[in-house]
Amino acid sequence: MRVNWNYIKLAFLSVSVVALYGFADARSKKRTVSDISIKFLGDNNLYLTEDAVNKLLIQNYGPVKNRPKEQLVLNTIEEVILSDDMVKNAQVYLTVNGELISKIVQRKPIGRVEGISKFYLDDLGKRMPLSKHHSARVPIITGEITGKTLEDAYVILNYINEDDFLRKNVIGIHIESEGKYQLRFRMENFVVNLGGVDNLNEKFKNFMAFYAKATKDNSLENYAIVSLEFSNQVVCTKI
């Protein structure tokens, strides 16, 4: 009987590959986490520290460094990090060297509410707690704080942040009542009665035309109130 050595070689090779894979897999499972790396993405990294993230993991998941890799549940670690009120998004993964990498995007405040309770309004229009690590330089929101007025304030802030001049100069939004919003400017004594959030493009276009003319005439300091509430016009009250 003739022996087919090709089949024998193939069988031997297959057994060797399975054995090597099993050996490598067993060694991999025995490996521990060699280090933890916390990376904050983007330019908004002021409200949460690396130490705070490590503390959060220890309190809610237990020690991670030197822990066997097979004991880690990456989805659970992500959920722990996402539970922090300052975190917008998080991604966790292990490198081949056993390093645990956590990439974190922090939330971005665009306004600060000063009322009975104090908090930020973030770039998604959600409430965000104040941070003990940093105080954001954003417009202050005061007055009649309700769910609806905060929604409107969010619309106004989004518009302001799209305009270079307004973003640099508007320092506050005062809510007199629903549909009556007042803006305060950094360098000017007057306030701007915006009215509601309808036709913001037209209102601010009219305001910028007024501001350019009043700046040229050196008359800005003569006004106490600049009203944009009326259709296609700017109504001013002098001091």
Side-chain angles (χ1 to χ4, degrees):
M1 182 173 116
R2 201 172 165 189
V3 177
N4 191 327
W5 290 103
N6 288 331
Y7 284 127
I8 294 174
K9 289 178 182 178
L10 182 61
F12 178 77
L13 181 61
S14 299
V15 171
S16 299
V17 169
V18 171
L20 285 172
Y21 177 80
F23 177 72
D25 186 55
R27 285 194 62 185
S28 176
K29 288 181 178 179
K30 289 181 180 179
R31 286 182 179 176
T32 59
V33 177
S34 59
D35 200 5
I36 303 172
S37 177
I38 309 295
K39 298 181 179 180
F40 295 112
L41 305 183
D43 57 358
N44 195 52
N45 304 321
L46 302 169
Y47 310 101
L48 186 65
T49 65
E50 185 175 336
D51 286 342
V53 175
N54 284 324
K55 185 178 180 180
L56 180 70
L57 286 174
I58 291 172
Q59 289 178 340
N60 295 276
Y61 190 81
V64 175
K65 191 173 181 179
N66 298 322
R67 193 165 178 168
K69 291 167 59 177
E70 64 175 350
Q71 292 182 9
L72 294 183
V73 183
L74 299 183
N75 287 340
T76 302
I77 295 175
E78 282 186 2
E79 290 172 3
V80 168
I81 296 174
L82 286 169
S83 69
D84 190 284
D85 289 327
M86 299 298 171
V87 176
K88 183 176 184 178
N89 193 18
Q91 180 186 10
V92 177
Y93 61 91
L94 271 169
T95 68
V96 292
N97 296 324
E99 184 179 15
L100 183 73
I101 307 290
S102 176
K103 294 183 177 180
I104 299 172
V105 178
Q106 294 189 27
R107 295 172 69 184
K108 180 180 179 180
I110 59 173
R112 174 171 175 154
V113 175
E114 290 288 335
I116 297 175
S117 59
K118 303 178 189 298
F119 55 90
Y120 290 124
L121 198 63
D122 75 2
D123 59 346
L124 296 178
K126 298 179 180 179
R127 297 186 180 211
M128 171 182 171
L130 303 183
S131 170
K132 62 182 179 181
H133 301 293
H134 180 76
S135 180
R137 296 183 64 184
V138 292
I140 304 297
I141 305 170
T142 58
E144 193 69 27
I145 307 297
T146 67
K148 173 57 179 170
T149 59
L150 279 182
E151 288 178 11
D152 287 350
Y154 173 66
V155 172
I156 297 169
L157 288 167
N158 268 339
Y159 190 96
I160 288 171
N161 285 329
E162 290 296 318
D163 184 275
D164 218 33
F165 173 82
L166 295 174
R167 185 175 64 253
K168 292 177 180 177
N169 289 281
V170 175
I171 60 171
I173 300 175
H174 180 69
I175 304 170
E176 295 183 313
S177 62
E178 187 177 319
K180 287 189 175 293
Y181 303 98
Q182 192 177 75
L183 305 183
R184 294 188 175 95
F185 281 70
R186 187 179 306 281
M187 301 297 293
E188 312 303 341
N189 293 323
F190 60 76
V191 295
V192 175
N193 284 343
L194 186 63
V197 296
D198 56 302
N199 302 319
L200 287 182
N201 195 52
E202 178 184 329
K203 289 177 179 179
F204 281 113
K205 182 179 179 181
N206 292 336
F207 172 76
M208 294 306 296
F210 153 79
Y211 192 90
K213 183 177 185 306
T215 300
K216 185 177 180 181
D217 297 341
N218 294 318
S219 61
L220 283 174
E221 61 185 19
N222 298 331
Y223 302 107
I225 300 173
V226 176
S227 179
L228 309 176
E229 297 175 270
F230 308 100
S231 178
N232 202 31
Q233 57 183 314
V234 178
V235 178
C236 301
T237 302
K238 289 189 175 182
I239 296 175

